[in-house]
C-alpha cells in the first residue's frame, strides 16, 4: 500500500527490496480441469492448500496462501485487534462461489469504524468555507441501488477541498443518484457515482446514517460499484 503511488524509480527499486510485494492466493475456482465453483469453501480451501504446497521453496516469500483461522467470531476479532489488523474476511465454510453476485456468506469485518462510501454529490459551503460544505455519501444495496448514508464535511484541508471539488465538478449531473433523494441543509449538487471516499465514523444511527463521519481520502483502487 505504501508503494502503490510511487513514480520515482529509485524509490521503487529500494522499496521493492525493503517491502516486497507478494501474491496472496485466497481461493481457487478451477483445479486443473476440475471446476470448483459449486464446492463448499472448505473443499476449495483443501484444493488450494494442495496446489500451494507445490510452490518451490525459493518462491514462497512472493507466492503465498492466505492465513485462515477457525473458531468463535468474538475470539477471531479479538485476536485480529491484538495484532493491529485493519479487518478480517468472514466466510461461511459451506458457502459455494457465486460468480458475479454479491453474497452474504462473505463479510468484510472492519476492526475500526472505517468504511468506503460512494460520493453522490456535495452541498454548497457556508460562511468562509470554500468549494463545498459536505460530501453526500452512499453505498449500493443488493438490488444495485445507491442508498444514502449521510454526509461529511470534516477532514478536509484547503488543498483537499479544492482537489475534490475540481474532480466532482467535472462529473456533475442534474439529478440525484440516490434511490431516495436526501434532504440537505444547504443546496445540493449531484454527481455521477464514480468516486469512492474512505470515511471514519463513530457508529450507525438507528435511521441508517453515519454518526460523526470524517473524510480520510478518495480511494483510486476501489470501483464504486463494489461498495455495498
Amino acid at each position: 500500500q505504501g508503494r502503490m503511488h510511487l513514480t520515482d524509480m529509485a524509490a521503487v527499486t529500494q522499496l521493492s527490496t525493503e517491502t516486497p510485494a507478494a501474491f496472496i492466493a485466497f481461493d481457487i475456482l478451477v483445479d486443473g480441469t476440475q471446476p470448483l465453483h459449486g464446492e463448499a469453501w472448505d473443499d476449495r480451501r483443501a484444493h488450494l492448500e494442495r496446489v500451494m504446497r507445490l510452490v518451490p521453496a525459493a518462491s514462497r516469500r512472493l507466492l503465498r496462501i492466505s492465513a485462515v483461522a477457525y473458531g468463535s467470531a468474538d475470539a477471531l476479532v479479538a485476536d485480529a485487534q491484538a495484532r493491529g489488523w485493519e479487518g478480517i474476511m468472514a466466510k461461511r465454510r459451506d458457502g459455494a462461489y457465486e460468480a458475479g453476485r454479491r453474497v452474504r456468506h462473505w463479510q468484510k469485518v472492519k476492526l475500526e469504524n472505517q468504511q468506503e462510501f460512494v460520493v453522490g454529490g456535495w452541498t454548497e459551503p457556508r460562511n468562509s468555507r470554500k468549494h463545498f460544505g459536505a460530501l453526500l455519501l452512499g453505498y449500493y444495496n443488493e438490488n444495485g441501488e445507491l442508498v444514502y448514508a449521510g454526509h461529511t464535511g470534516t477532514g478536509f484541508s484547503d488543498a483537499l477541498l479544492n482537489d475534490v471539488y475540481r474532480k466532482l465538478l467535472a462529473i456533475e449531473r442534474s439529478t440525484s443518484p440516490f434511490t431516495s433523494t436526501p434532504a440537505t441543509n444547504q443546496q445540493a449538487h449531484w454527481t455521477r457515482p464514480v468516486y469512492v471516499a474512505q470515511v471514519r465514523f463513530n457508529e450507525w444511527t438507528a435511521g441508517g446514517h453515519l454518526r460523526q463521519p470524517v473524510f480520510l481520502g478518495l480511494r483510486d483502487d476501489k470501483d464504486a460499484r463494489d461498495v455495498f
Side-chain angles (χ1 to χ4, degrees), residues 61-139:
R61 186 171 65 99
L62 301 179
L63 181 59
R64 307 201 300 267
I65 191 169
S66 63
V68 65
Y70 307 98
S72 77
D74 289 343
L76 293 175
V77 168
D79 181 61
Q81 288 175 323
R83 296 171 184 265
W85 291 355
E86 185 176 314
I88 58 177
M89 286 298 300
K91 304 177 182 180
R92 282 186 60 97
R93 297 177 63 178
D94 59 355
Y97 186 91
E98 300 183 42
R101 293 190 62 237
R102 297 187 178 99
V103 293
R104 305 304 296 175
H105 54 255
W106 279 30
Q107 294 289 321
K108 179 169 63 174
V109 180
K110 286 281 190 177
L111 300 185
E112 58 182 15
N113 291 329
Q114 189 179 128
Q115 192 170 318
E116 306 93 4
F117 292 94
V118 179
V119 180
W122 76 90
T123 60
E124 285 284 339
R126 289 188 295 181
N127 302 324
S128 61
R129 181 75 173 257
K130 295 180 180 179
H131 305 306
F132 62 87
L135 298 182
L136 305 175
L137 307 170
Y139 60 90

Side-chain angles (χ1 to χ4, degrees), residues 28 30-34 36 42-55 60 65:
I28 184 171
V30 179
D31 188 355
T33 59
Q34 181 183 357
L36 302 174
D42 262 348
D43 295 328
R44 300 200 310 276
R45 178 73 187 191
H47 280 267
L48 181 61
E49 290 176 352
R50 184 190 64 80
V51 169
M52 294 301 290
R53 284 196 292 269
L54 303 177
V55 175
R60 289 175 185 167
I65 191 169

Side-chain angles (χ1 to χ4, degrees), residues 193-206:
V194 172
Y195 288 105
V196 175
Q198 190 76 17
V199 176
R200 184 176 68 244
F201 59 99
N202 282 357
E203 60 183 0
W204 288 93
T205 68

